[in-house]
Amino acid sequence: MKNLTLIGNWKLNGSKSSIQAFSNEWHGCDHPALTVAIAPPAPYLGYFAKTVASCLLAAQDCSAHDEGAHTGEISAAMLADWGCRYVLVGHSECREAHAESDELIGEKLRQVQAAGLLPVLCVGEDRHARESGTAETVVKAQLRGALLAGQSTALLVAYEPVWAIGTGLTASPEQANDMHAMIKSELYEVLQSEQDIPVLYGGSVNPDNARALFECAHVDGALVGGASLSAESFASIARAGINYLSH
Ligand code: PGA
């Protein structure tokens, strides 16, 4: 039986009072094979950790630098200091808003590893690439552009087709599974390691579609945006994971 990892990405949402409300409704989701984390906006990392029990901490992004004159940036070591376990790198919204290159994303990824945390490398094609049949080529290039041959295998990958993020459209379980299988074989080739690297699916995951995704052989969990903002829907997704793991 595989393990599942569930990471909620709050993006530019949340406040002290919404974290308090989340905490009041979140009663934890205990299963030895399920890991659950939330990535609140960076200023709330400390408050979230203090307020919400039984949820690991993730960050949405980090600097490619370790220290120095980089106004506004947050280093991976600082995120480690706050108790983060995971750091997203290369989310499609960051790629687009900050014109991030694959090389820069790779540098961030290695900063996260150097700080002893687990990077979650986000990859995914846009609608044009999906429709023109180049989705695999795009995702392969994103992986190869960010990862160095033989580098540390301490990472996760999140496959998030851009056309499915926040749109209510989801990749079908077959589409997700096929892409995840391709990603795993690519990771195997680039990293030259038999280590099983978890590949999460992201893009409009909700309580209704989560179970079918978890059932896919190559899907090792989910990166959840909108549906992670309420403890109720995030807990339903976690319960779908526990039901799958216990079947
Ligand atoms: P969504 O976002 O679940 O709201 O589609 C996913 C993500 O961007 O990580």
Side-chain angles (χ1 to χ4, degrees), residues 37-165:
I38 290 275
Y44 293 113
L45 285 168
Y47 188 76
F48 188 93
K50 198 170 69 181
T51 312
V52 183
S54 69
C55 219
L56 295 170
L57 210 52
Q60 299 177 15
D61 193 14
C62 74
S63 176
H65 305 281
D66 54 0
E67 62 179 1
H70 303 288
T71 301
E73 303 211 5
I74 297 171
S75 73
M78 294 171 185
L79 297 172
D81 222 10
W82 273 116
C84 284
R85 159 94 59 104
Y86 303 98
V87 184
L88 309 185
V89 294
H91 189 283
S92 62
E93 287 154 13
C94 299
R95 286 179 189 263
E96 195 185 327
H98 311 133
E100 290 187 343
S101 66
D102 290 318
E103 292 69 26
L104 178 87
I105 293 163
E107 283 165 29
K108 291 184 176 191
L109 184 145
R110 285 178 286 283
Q111 286 285 343
V112 176
Q113 290 179 327
L117 306 183
L118 288 167
V120 181
L121 171 61
C122 302
V123 296
E125 81 285 357
D126 63 15
R127 182 140 59 103
H128 173 72
R130 173 57 63 175
E131 287 172 357
S132 62
T134 56
E136 288 207 354
T137 313
V138 168
V139 170
K140 261 187 204 175
Q142 290 172 335
L143 291 170
R144 295 217 172 228
L147 297 169
L148 301 176
Q151 76 158 81
S152 165
T153 56
L155 76 143
L156 293 80
V157 171
Y159 168 56
E160 298 205 299
V162 178
W163 50 270
I165 295 179

Side-chain angles (χ1 to χ4, degrees), residues 9 11 91-93 160 164-167 202-205 223-227:
N9 173 14
K11 309 188 180 186
H91 189 283
S92 62
E93 287 154 13
E160 298 205 299
I165 295 179
T167 58
S204 298
V205 175
L223 180 54
V224 184

Side-chain angles (χ1 to χ4, degrees), residues 21 36 77 98 106-107 140 149 173 184 196 200 242:
V36 181
H98 311 133
E107 283 165 29
K140 261 187 204 175
K184 288 186 179 197
D196 191 22
L200 316 184
I242 291 177

